[in-house]
Amino acid sequence: MATFKLPCMLVIFLVFGVGLGQNMVPAMFIFGDSLIDNGNNNNLPSFAKANYLPYGIDFNGGPTGRFSNGYTMVDEIAEQLGLPLIPAYSEASGDQVLNGVNYASAAAGILDITGRNFVGRIPFDQQIRNFHNTLDQITNNLGADDVARQVGRSIFFVGMGSNDYLNNYLMPNYPTRNQYNGRQYADLLTQEYSRQLTTLYNLGARKFVIAGLGVMGCIPSILAQSPAGICSDSVNQLVQPFNENVKAMLSNFNANQLPGAKFIFIDVARMFREILTNSPAYGFSVINRGCCGIGRNRGQITCLPFQTPCPNREQYVFWDAFHPTEAVNVLMGRKAFNGDLSMVYPMNIEQLANLDIESN
């Protein structure tokens, strides 16, 4: 990442929370994997990249490294918060960090070893170190007290764990499945996750948005492994203990285990089931194959460079073998922002943004 020195006027903007419009929070800092990566893998020696067409076919400016035809979920959330689209850490410098940074990296996991089949990726621990670097650079300009105030009012969005299953536990060349049963593995992941989120808390984060894992047994890549093209109950049941653990962990954090912080949980699995079950009501007619991909369910080989995608993308739930379309991302972003307690709890992102939290 390029080092930077914020001009004096921008320092004033950041101290007093003046953004580019009516933003509800000073900034949003994003940690995760390919569901919300927006270009951090572009210059890595990695097989997990999306900086080529048809990725970004519906995004203003074309391919950026987003694993979608357009917006990701966090793009929609940023917009709802009144923020500009948050820049990738690999490209952010100067005033671009004013409203936050996206550290997410495709193939990344909670465990450092996750995603090694794709070679280059930025695991969660390294993403946190990258945030620490950003913090150090801003602190050099503002001073610790001002930074602490602004960081404490900012949103920290974290969506990790998918690759710890898809590109670790479920991979034949990983020993994990022989070392742990499903419950033990969920416990291991949660233990690491708890440590990592506590590190962010110790760096000043106070408003946390944690995305649970989705209905991973129903993505085209998994559907393609079934001759009948049906969801894998075993995969869905495998990841369920992780979601349960995370909810319990966040409940403990909120019960004053981490004083002054508020953690909210996005029930992505419930959101996704709702969309799949009531797809016609949401305008989706294709729920069992990717818009771009090859083979059964267009999920055996994911979207290739310059492949022609489906023309009616707004009717598809899945963009490629693993990721939702922009239409689904926008829908889920809005549900997370102002949805009810069945989808996001103990409050939604809008309520969290308006919550008065004293950083300490």
Side-chain angles (χ1 to χ4, degrees):
M1 177 185 175
T3 57
F4 57 87
K5 184 86 173 168
L6 294 178
C8 184
M9 185 56 71
L10 294 178
V11 171
I12 294 170
F13 279 179
L14 192 54
V15 172
F16 293 104
V18 179
L20 307 176
Q22 296 300 307
N23 42 316
M24 297 173 65
V25 293
M28 178 163 66
F29 298 97
I30 299 160
F31 306 82
D33 51 33
S34 58
L35 290 167
I36 48 180
D37 183 359
N38 64 342
N40 283 310
N41 281 20
N42 289 356
N43 298 316
L44 293 182
S46 175
F47 294 113
K49 295 189 186 190
N51 56 341
Y52 55 82
L53 284 169
Y55 288 95
I57 191 170
D58 299 312
F59 188 83
N60 185 15
T64 56
R66 287 170 170 81
F67 286 75
S68 170
N69 55 308
Y71 265 24
T72 66
M73 185 178 180
V74 291
D75 290 330
E76 178 61 24
I77 291 169
E79 202 167 90
Q80 293 289 332
L81 288 167
L83 296 169
L85 297 186
I86 309 300
Y89 175 75
S90 61
E91 298 166 4
S93 62
D95 63 346
Q96 290 178 319
V97 304
L98 206 58
N99 294 111
V101 179
N102 185 333
Y103 303 91
S105 168
I110 293 168
L111 304 179
D112 283 357
I113 197 173
T114 288
R116 69 180 176 193
N117 290 357
F118 291 93
V119 191
R121 75 276 182 211
I122 308 165
F124 191 22
D125 276 326
Q126 183 59 50
Q127 292 181 33
I128 295 170
R129 287 192 286 270
N130 290 345
F131 168 67
H132 202 165
N133 290 341
T134 302
L135 212 51
D136 286 345
Q137 290 167 346
I138 298 174
T139 303
N140 287 340
N141 291 281
L142 295 184
D145 289 346
D146 289 326
V147 169
R149 263 194 301 277
Q150 293 305 96
V151 168
R153 291 178 53 224
S154 297
I155 295 286
F156 282 73
F157 186 104
V158 185
M160 299 294 306
S162 296
N163 288 313
D164 293 292
Y165 287 95
L166 290 173
N167 291 302
N168 184 330
Y169 197 82
L170 292 169
M171 279 284 168
N173 64 329
Y174 272 82
T176 327
R177 210 178 335 188
N178 296 325
Q179 295 170 331
Y180 308 97
N181 64 32
R183 172 62 68 181
Q184 291 168 336
Y185 189 60
D187 291 346
L188 170 72
L189 292 179
T190 314
Q191 187 179 357
E192 284 295 292
Y193 209 15
S194 177
R195 174 187 60 78
Q196 291 160 332
L197 294 174
T198 302
T199 300
L200 283 176
Y201 171 84
N202 290 334
L203 290 171
R206 291 296 179 269
K207 296 185 175 188
F208 289 86
V209 178
I210 311 298
L213 299 187
V215 189
M216 286 163 51
C218 297
I219 64 174
S221 159
I222 299 293
L223 293 176
Q225 296 172 29
S226 158
I230 58 173
C231 295
S232 167
D233 284 340
S234 62
V235 171
N236 284 337
Q237 286 167 14
L238 174 66
V239 302
Q240 200 172 325
F242 175 77
N243 278 339
E244 290 168 2
N245 280 4
V246 169
K247 283 186 259 189
M249 172 186 71
L250 301 186
S251 183
N252 288 336
F253 284 162
N254 282 333
N256 228 26
Q257 189 175 322
L258 295 180
K262 179 61 77 174
F263 289 79
I264 68 173
F265 179 77
I266 304 175
D267 197 333
V268 175
R270 184 177 287 232
M271 278 187 192
F272 228 91
R273 280 198 188 90
E274 158 77 10
I275 290 168
L276 293 175
T277 304
N278 301 303
S279 50
Y282 291 108
F284 300 116
S285 58
V286 186
I287 66 171
N288 63 349
R289 64 181 184 270
C291 170
C292 185
I294 294 172
R296 189 187 292 135
N297 301 90
R298 290 198 192 156
Q300 288 176 296
I301 300 174
T302 199
C303 194
L304 296 173
F306 304 108
Q307 187 181 344
T308 303
C310 65
N312 53 333
R313 294 180 281 280
E314 70 288 345
Q315 294 176 30
Y316 275 67
V317 167
F318 294 102
W319 161 247
D320 62 11
F322 302 97
H323 307 98
T325 54
E326 175 183 63
V328 170
N329 284 329
V330 167
L331 186 58
M332 292 204 300
R334 288 177 183 169
K335 283 178 182 285
F337 183 74
N338 58 20
D340 62 32
L341 290 173
S342 69
M343 300 294 177
V344 52
Y345 44 84
M347 64 182 68
N348 60 38
I349 294 174
E350 184 177 28
Q351 291 164 330
L352 180 68
N354 287 323
L355 199 65
D356 189 19
I357 290 180
E358 284 297 316
S359 58
N360 46 42

